[in-house]
Amino acid sequence: MSKSKVSQFIATLLIIFIGLEGVFFLYLVPKVRLARISIEGDLLLSNQEIFSLLNWNTRPLYFNLRPDEIAATLRKATGEDIAVRKEWPDHLIIRSLSRGALFVSSINDHVIYFNEHGGVVSTVDASEVLPTVIFMPDVDEKSLKNNKLPEWIISLGKLKRQYADFYKNIESITQRADSIYLKFRDMPFFVRLNPDFSIKKAQHAYWQTKQIFESRFAFSRILDMRGSEIVYNTRGGRI
């Protein structure tokens, strides 16, 4: 094939390609709209709620969807860690990145499982060992979602991922106005900490109390570690 014929062939292909691209952008792009939304994970939102949160009055054009902007809006509205991607030709996929249930609590006589963002988890792995969190009486599902979560709940999620064995050893966390009471599965007493305690502080307290338990104070009911000195309460009774 001569060079002139090769050039003509390439030029023809380019013209066809440009023509098809023109048809695509002129006729197809303005007409392709979002037709399907899929939610992966434990995010509990209906299509109607998603449209409301994103201020969509009608189905948006597929090529106008901005996954990063959608994810940022939903994160702010729900407090969830969310990733969004779109899939050709008309599919939006919203994925909750929270890692399942973090703790279990009883609110208004209902046993509820929560993730690390304060969201309710609908399905739970029965084999998981979860700590029980006992909140103040005025705490409910709405306040957990709307109010700023205590730092110890947020850091508890990090603990679950980084130090799984230590996390599984936490039997219960009891919230009071002036204190937090930690109960570990391998020790019979409670550890009393300040309400703004960190998980790092809890780990430090655990190793201290474990040494105490294995030595002289095996019969203490509560070890108060809010100050610089440990206070031993051996009387038992209510916390």
Side-chain angles (χ1 to χ4, degrees), residues 18 29 31 37 43 67 73 95 104 156 168 183 185 189 197 208 210 217 236:
I18 293 171
V29 168
K31 295 181 180 179
I37 299 176
L43 184 66
T73 300
R95 184 185 177 201
V104 60
L156 193 62
K168 291 177 182 178
K183 173 67 173 62
R185 299 180 191 278
F189 45 70
F197 82 98
Q208 281 189 298
K210 189 172 179 62
F217 298 96

Side-chain angles (χ1 to χ4, degrees), residues 171-238:
E171 182 177 328
S172 66
I173 302 174
T174 302
Q175 183 184 40
R176 293 290 183 262
D178 62 344
S179 307
I180 290 289
Y181 293 83
L182 276 176
K183 173 67 173 62
F184 295 99
R185 299 180 191 278
D186 61 351
M187 290 188 288
F189 45 70
F190 292 88
V191 179
R192 188 178 187 182
L193 299 168
N194 288 315
D196 60 347
F197 82 98
S198 66
I199 292 299
K200 185 176 180 180
K201 172 68 174 177
Q203 289 176 297
H204 178 67
Y206 170 77
W207 291 113
Q208 281 189 298
T209 54
K210 189 172 179 62
Q211 291 175 0
I212 293 167
F213 171 60
E214 292 175 347
S215 56
R216 295 173 296 165
F217 298 96
F219 299 103
S220 294
R221 169 70 174 170
I222 298 174
L223 298 180
D224 192 342
M225 302 188 70
R226 291 175 296 170
S228 58
E229 296 182 355
I230 301 175
V231 178
Y232 307 99
N233 180 349
T234 60
R235 295 183 180 181
R238 294 174 65 104

Side-chain angles (χ1 to χ4, degrees), residues 9 67 71 84 90 92 101 103 110 113-114 169 171 192 214 229:
F9 178 73
V84 176
D90 55 10
L92 187 70
F103 62 89
H110 296 293
Y113 295 87
F114 293 91
N169 194 33
E171 182 177 328
R192 188 178 187 182
E214 292 175 347
E229 296 182 355

Side-chain angles (χ1 to χ4, degrees), residues 19-175:
L20 290 174
E21 194 174 50
V23 170
F24 178 77
F25 280 101
L26 287 173
Y27 296 100
L28 189 58
V29 168
K31 295 181 180 179
V32 179
R33 293 186 175 274
L34 178 67
R36 188 158 56 104
I37 299 176
S38 296
I39 296 179
E40 299 176 352
D42 53 24
L43 184 66
L44 301 177
L45 284 178
S46 66
N47 283 358
Q48 184 177 1
E49 289 171 324
I50 291 171
F51 270 62
S52 176
L53 290 173
L54 297 174
N55 292 318
W56 289 345
N57 296 320
T58 59
R59 289 186 298 125
L61 294 171
Y62 177 82
F63 290 95
N64 286 346
L65 296 174
R66 301 288 182 265
D68 290 343
E69 294 177 8
I70 293 171
T73 300
L74 293 179
R75 284 191 206 108
K76 184 177 180 180
T78 65
E80 300 278 0
D81 189 5
I82 290 173
V84 176
R85 64 184 174 90
K86 56 184 184 180
E87 192 174 84
W88 175 258
D90 55 10
H91 189 189
L92 187 70
I93 300 171
I94 301 171
R95 184 185 177 201
S96 170
L97 300 178
S98 58
R99 296 163 173 83
L102 181 67
F103 62 89
V104 60
S105 186
S106 177
I107 295 179
N108 297 325
D109 297 324
H110 296 293
V111 175
I112 304 174
Y113 295 87
F114 293 91
N115 61 26
E116 63 192 270
H117 307 291
V120 176
V121 179
S122 55
T123 57
V124 180
D125 184 352
S127 65
E128 272 201 298
V129 179
L130 301 173
T132 299
V133 174
I134 303 171
F135 288 110
M136 299 281 287
D138 60 344
V139 174
D140 55 21
E141 297 173 53
K142 186 177 180 179
S143 65
L144 277 177
K145 290 288 290 183
N146 294 342
N147 298 339
K148 184 178 179 182
L149 287 173
E151 183 61 34
W152 56 266
I153 289 183
I154 298 171
S155 56
L156 193 62
K158 299 177 183 177
L159 183 73
K160 181 180 179 181
R161 294 189 291 277
Q162 296 176 6
Y163 304 98
D165 290 339
F166 183 80
Y167 160 81
K168 291 177 182 178
N169 194 33
I170 299 175
E171 182 177 328
S172 66
I173 302 174
T174 302
Q175 183 184 40

